[in-house]
Amino acid sequence: MNIAIDGPAGAGKSTIAKAVAKELGYIYVDTGAMYRAIALYILENKIDVEDEESVCRACNEIDIQIKHEDGIQQVYLNGRNVQADIRKEEVGNMASTAAAKKPVRDKLLTLQRNIAETNDVVMDGRDIGTFVLPNAEYKYYLTASVKTRAMRRYKELTEKGETPDIARIEADIEKRDYQDMNRDIAPLKQAEDAIYVDSSDMTIEQVVRFMCDRVK
Ligand code: DC
């Protein structure tokens, strides 16, 4: 059984997908984390992301592994746990740029399909319902307004003791939406058979309930 949850940055996909997976006893697979691991490699090794040959070479040097420890996904980049390092803002922005490149998408597609073939999964990302798992039994497109998503991110960073700039967060979200929705390969869009969920005025619990109640 596979559940696909797609949607733009900051829509709450990972929080919701994690909770849905826990309730149903499935494995949660965060595909954004895989793109982030590749982005981290690109940043750390100062690879020119616009140079196709360099990106291709980097993809051949990269080994990404997903493990679940106490039900929580851990991403390993060439044997190193990079779970904490990939959460940085600059890594997310680079992930969005790198995700438009064919060698990067090809590399992760096989990995994602393999995991879904051998497990019951709740997989979140941008192209899961449309491209990675077109036959997923349940598909959701989870979104929220740019203002709501920016405010959620702002609160998250403030709680961590940072002093973020809300206008900057909004601009980053808009840029990422644009890149993710307008790239040539597997752009973010709602699958025809996905259920649209706007979480702007919903609590996490309401969204989780809504999704779980539909799964038989
Ligand atoms: O969900 P996230 O913010 O961790 O994802 C980081 C970037 O990775 C996102 O901006 C676009 C890319 N991505 C993708 O292209 N396809 C996916 N299935 C998941 C993420």
Side-chain angles (χ1 to χ4, degrees):
M1 188 75 91
N2 294 157
I3 301 176
I5 303 180
D6 290 302
K13 294 185 303 296
S14 62
T15 308
I16 303 290
K18 229 179 267 173
V20 170
K22 192 168 180 205
E23 177 154 340
L24 300 172
Y26 293 7
I27 284 180
Y28 164 54
V29 182
D30 171 3
T31 61
M34 303 177 189
Y35 287 95
R36 283 170 181 264
I38 293 188
L40 182 67
Y41 185 91
I42 289 174
L43 288 169
E44 285 183 342
N45 292 282
K46 300 189 172 46
I47 289 160
D48 177 3
V49 70
E50 297 309 333
D51 180 48
E52 208 179 312
E53 221 173 276
S54 304
V55 173
C56 236
R57 206 176 317 119
C59 282
N60 290 330
E61 291 162 1
I62 293 174
D63 173 53
I64 307 265
Q65 282 191 11
I66 298 299
K67 296 182 186 167
H68 285 82
E69 296 168 11
D70 296 328
I72 298 166
Q73 174 178 298
Q74 304 289 329
V75 184
Y76 287 81
L77 170 64
N78 293 338
R80 162 182 150 221
N81 186 324
V82 290
Q83 196 59 29
D85 300 341
I86 59 173
R87 299 320 323 169
K88 293 181 195 135
E89 226 59 44
E90 56 162 340
V91 178
N93 291 334
M94 176 55 85
S96 175
T97 305
K101 314 294 178 201
K102 192 172 185 309
V104 173
R105 298 209 78 81
D106 287 349
K107 183 173 183 78
L108 294 181
L109 181 63
T110 318
L111 177 62
Q112 292 161 3
R113 285 190 176 153
N114 283 346
I115 298 173
E117 229 163 70
T118 45
N119 298 280
D120 289 332
V121 298
V122 179
M123 190 176 279
D124 82 6
R126 303 293 188 286
D127 60 338
I128 310 306
T130 51
F131 191 63
V132 180
L133 306 175
N135 298 320
E137 282 80 0
Y138 298 95
K139 297 181 186 178
Y140 295 100
Y141 187 84
L142 180 65
T143 188
S145 67
V146 171
K147 283 243 165 328
T148 307
R149 289 187 278 140
M151 192 41 91
R152 287 178 187 160
R153 186 73 189 133
Y154 177 83
K155 277 194 191 143
E156 227 174 76
L157 294 171
T158 312
E159 278 160 19
K160 276 196 211 160
E162 294 180 28
T163 45
D165 171 3
I166 186 83
R168 172 81 197 276
I169 296 177
E170 263 188 53
D172 273 357
I173 285 180
E174 276 173 352
K175 183 173 174 218
R176 272 233 260 158
D177 282 1
Y178 184 84
Q179 283 192 162
D180 295 348
M181 290 174 181
N182 291 284
R183 65 179 177 227
D184 291 338
I185 323 164
L188 167 65
K189 63 170 187 233
Q190 184 181 349
E192 274 177 20
D193 50 351
I195 299 174
Y196 181 89
V197 184
D198 184 335
S199 73
S200 302
D201 298 314
M202 291 170 87
T203 63
I204 293 169
E205 291 72 24
Q206 283 172 329
V207 179
V208 173
R209 215 35 304 121
F210 178 84
M211 290 188 179
C212 286
D213 282 354
R214 265 146 201 84
V215 178
K216 309 220 167 42

